[in-house]
């Protein structure tokens, strides 16, 4: 690694960069151009972090950049050429080199209008936040920090290089990025930035759903997701990005007859994140599916709130309503179908456990719980445990002990049965052979019957399963029809007798 000490009025930083960075810088300087490491990679040097993704800025045009790197890079691509960006791979690094530029959004357009610049300082001015508006000139390793990025990083403050209104007008997605950095880095947003986000929140609507989604995922998976979500809600951005979460604030009524559902949801999000395991565990963190389900688990409450006689408040079926609202929101944000189904299923199942501690469950109910959760079971365990935010320690302990008991019963049944893949004791081919059926809906009904038997009674031996299947089949209308048409013992109808020749009449 290459080293350089950069003294500032705040501290001394020991910058360590890979030799490939200095080698690339030397190539540009030898050709009469400037090259600087810029943005996140520079910020991360101060945070003691490294990344395989490196961003550079230069006064060279895209054509000049290609000429300098095409034989040096392992491979390169020009997908971002229209924006002044050339991408490449070298020695395991993914590298982007972008020509100095000024970038602005047309007020009614999602696409930026690009103009190339000629100054590093001007290029840094157009970047999103001061902590990302620092550069290291190469190969000299000179720190360029015209807008106080080091100062703000040490103060844990998020500020813009210029007026925040101008920055967010250039790219409204930067308002989402502010919330994302608040989550990832734990930084506080400066007051003028917060005010601008509030005034300009509606402008996020011109940004594509995919870009908003990507920032939201990074926010939810950050170290401080509660801070990021709270910033979205407080500034009004959530009204356009996650209105269902903003609506949770309406659940706090003036008589305080039930808990603040919005704050409860943020606490559940925090607690779910804390229950994630590392990469060797059952739910490696950060896990977006678990975290987003925790955030969205109660979004069905505003639509289902009812004030009962005596002052009680109910939210009947808010789990089902919430699952539908979650699905709709995630589709709007262009999430993939598998992620949508997983999050919505957790929202739908999050209430299933309640009542277990009071009434207890049969083995059949435990099997159904595991089967309905399927591959989401470990996440459901964590979501259900996280959903306890009561200050009543006795109630919290009771719920915790009850869930401990449920998990113990699941483990015990797993020892006795193939609980992770509950299937009927006879498969479709065996059902068709026994009942002399062809593929069709009747086979599906028979399969469902045996699955119910498996759920209720646990594993059956083949003879018992066959006996139960035949008893069920005897009561089906198709069985009666089949017997009437093919059984040689069926009595003949009068018409059959009259029209069929007898042996004597032949």
């Amino acid at each position: 690694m290459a080293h350089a000490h950069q003294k500032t009025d705040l501290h001394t930083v020991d910058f360590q960069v890979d030799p490939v960075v200095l080698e690339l810088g030397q190539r540009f300087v030898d050709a009469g151009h400037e090259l600087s490491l810029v943005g996140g990679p520079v910020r991360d040097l101060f945070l003691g972090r490294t990344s395989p993704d490196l961003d550079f800025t230069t006064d060279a045009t895209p054509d000049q950049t290609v000429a300098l790197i095409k034989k040096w890079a392992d491979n390169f691509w020009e997908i971002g050429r229209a924006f002044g960006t050339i991408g490449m791979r070298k020695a395991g690094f993914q590298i982007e080199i972008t020509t100095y530029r000024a970038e602005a959004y047309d007020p009614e357009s999602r696409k930026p209008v690009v103009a190339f610049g000629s100054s590093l300082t001007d290029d840094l001015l157009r970047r999103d936040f001061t902590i990302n508006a620092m550069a290291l000139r190469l190969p000299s390793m000179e720190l360029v920090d015209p807008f106080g990025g080091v100062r703000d990083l040490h103060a844990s403050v998020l500020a813009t290089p210029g007026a925040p209104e101008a920055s967010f007008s250039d790219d409204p997605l930067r308002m989402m990025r502010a919330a994302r950095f608040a989550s990832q880095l734990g930084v506080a947003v400066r007051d003028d930035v917060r005010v601008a986000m509030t005034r300009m929140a509606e402008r996020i609507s011109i940004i594509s759903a995919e870009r908003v989604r990507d920032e939201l995922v990074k926010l939810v998976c950050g170290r401080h997701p509660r801070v990021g979500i709270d910033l979205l809600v407080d500034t009004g951005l959530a009204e356009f990005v996650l209105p269902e979460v903003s609506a949770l604030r309406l659940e706090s009524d003036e008589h305080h007859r039930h808990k603040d559902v919005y704050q409860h949801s943020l606490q559940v999000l925090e607690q779910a994140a804390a229950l994630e395991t590392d990469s060797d565990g059952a739910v490696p963190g950060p896990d977006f599916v678990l975290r987003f389900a925790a955030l969205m688990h109660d979004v069905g409450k505003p639509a289902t709130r009812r004030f009962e006689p005596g002052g009680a408040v109910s939210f009947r079926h808010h789990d089902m309503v919430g699952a539908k609202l979650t699905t709709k929101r995630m589709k709007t944000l262009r999430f993939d179908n598998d992620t949508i189904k997983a999050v919505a299923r957790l929202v739908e199942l999050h209430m299933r456990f309640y009542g277990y501690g009071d009434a207890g469950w049969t083995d059949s109910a435990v099997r159904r719980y595991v089967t309905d959760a399927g591959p989401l079971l470990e996440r459901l365990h964590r979501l259900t445990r996280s959903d306890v935010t009561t200050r009543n320690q006795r109630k919290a302990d009771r719920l915790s002990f009850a869930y401990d008991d449920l998990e113990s019963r699941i483990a015990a049944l797993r020892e006795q049965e193939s609980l992770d893949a509950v299937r009927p004791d006879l498969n479709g081919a065996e059902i068709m052979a026994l009942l002399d059926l062809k593929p069709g809906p009747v086979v599906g009904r028979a399969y469902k019957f045996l699955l119910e038997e498996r759920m209720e009674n646990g594993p059956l031996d083949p003879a018992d399963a066959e006996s139960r299947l035949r008893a069920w089949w005897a009561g089906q209308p198709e069985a009666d029809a089949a017997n009437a048409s093919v059984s040689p013992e069926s009595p003949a109808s009068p018409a059959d007798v009259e029209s069929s020749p007898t042996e004597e009449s032949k």
Side-chain angles (χ1 to χ4, degrees), residues 240-255:
F240 305 96
V241 176
L242 286 175
E244 298 81 6
V245 174
S246 291
L248 293 175
R249 293 179 302 173
L250 304 179
E251 289 309 294
S252 187
D253 66 277
E254 67 276 13
H255 300 297

Side-chain angles (χ1 to χ4, degrees), residues 25-46:
Q26 193 64 55
R27 291 183 71 86
F28 275 74
V29 169
D30 289 347
H33 295 295
E34 299 176 357
L35 186 76
S36 297
L37 185 66
V38 72
V42 178
R43 178 197 69 225
D44 287 347
L45 287 173
F46 286 93

Side-chain angles (χ1 to χ4, degrees), residues 94-115:
Q94 181 160 311
I95 294 170
E96 289 190 349
I97 302 177
T98 303
T99 303
Y100 296 154
R101 64 189 185 185
E103 181 180 281
Y105 267 78
D106 181 282
E108 303 304 323
S109 173
R110 291 179 175 179
K111 296 182 179 180
V113 178
V114 176

Side-chain angles (χ1 to χ4, degrees), residues 69 73 75-80 85-89 95-97:
I69 60 91
N75 64 302
F76 72 97
W77 52 92
E78 303 179 56
I79 298 173
T85 300
I86 303 298
M88 71 199 73
R89 283 193 176 276
I95 294 170
E96 289 190 349
I97 302 177

Side-chain angles (χ1 to χ4, degrees), residues 15 70 469:
F15 295 131
K70 62 182 179 181
L469 177 64

Side-chain angles (χ1 to χ4, degrees), residues 194-231:
R194 183 184 291 268
V195 168
M197 290 172 66
T198 304
R199 290 176 178 172
M200 302 178 68
E202 187 176 4
R203 190 159 163 72
I204 197 68
S205 302
I206 74 167
I207 300 299
S208 69
E210 292 83 356
R211 294 183 75 204
V212 171
R213 174 202 64 208
D214 290 347
E215 289 296 331
L216 180 63
V217 170
K218 292 173 183 176
L219 184 164
V220 170
C221 291
R223 293 174 58 191
H224 312 278
R226 180 175 191 154
V227 175
I229 294 296
D230 221 11
L231 183 59

Side-chain angles (χ1 to χ4, degrees), residues 234-314:
D234 286 349
T235 58
L237 275 165
E239 295 287 347
F240 305 96
V241 176
L242 286 175
E244 298 81 6
V245 174
S246 291
L248 293 175
R249 293 179 302 173
L250 304 179
E251 289 309 294
S252 187
D253 66 277
E254 67 276 13
H255 300 297
H256 302 289
R257 284 177 286 194
H258 62 282
K259 61 190 171 189
D260 184 329
V261 180
Y262 171 64
Q263 291 298 330
H264 163 75
S265 297
L266 293 185
Q267 187 174 346
V268 174
L269 168 59
E270 279 189 321
Q271 293 179 172
L275 289 178
E276 292 169 340
T277 52
D278 59 26
S279 58
D280 295 329
V283 182
D287 187 83
F288 175 79
V289 169
L290 172 61
R291 292 184 182 205
F292 200 58
L295 177 64
M296 302 292 282
H297 78 284
D298 274 348
V299 296
K301 283 192 171 180
T304 58
R305 179 173 64 171
R306 299 290 183 272
F307 291 102
E308 307 292 349
V313 181
S314 68

Side-chain angles (χ1 to χ4, degrees), residues 26 28 37 74 105 119 146 170 192 215 239 250 259 289 340 345 349 376 425 449:
Q26 193 64 55
F28 275 74
L37 185 66
D74 296 333
Y105 267 78
S119 162
D170 281 349
D192 62 336
E215 289 296 331
E239 295 287 347
L250 304 179
K259 61 190 171 189
V289 169
I340 294 172
R345 186 63 165 160
L349 293 175
L376 298 171
D425 296 282
F449 163 75

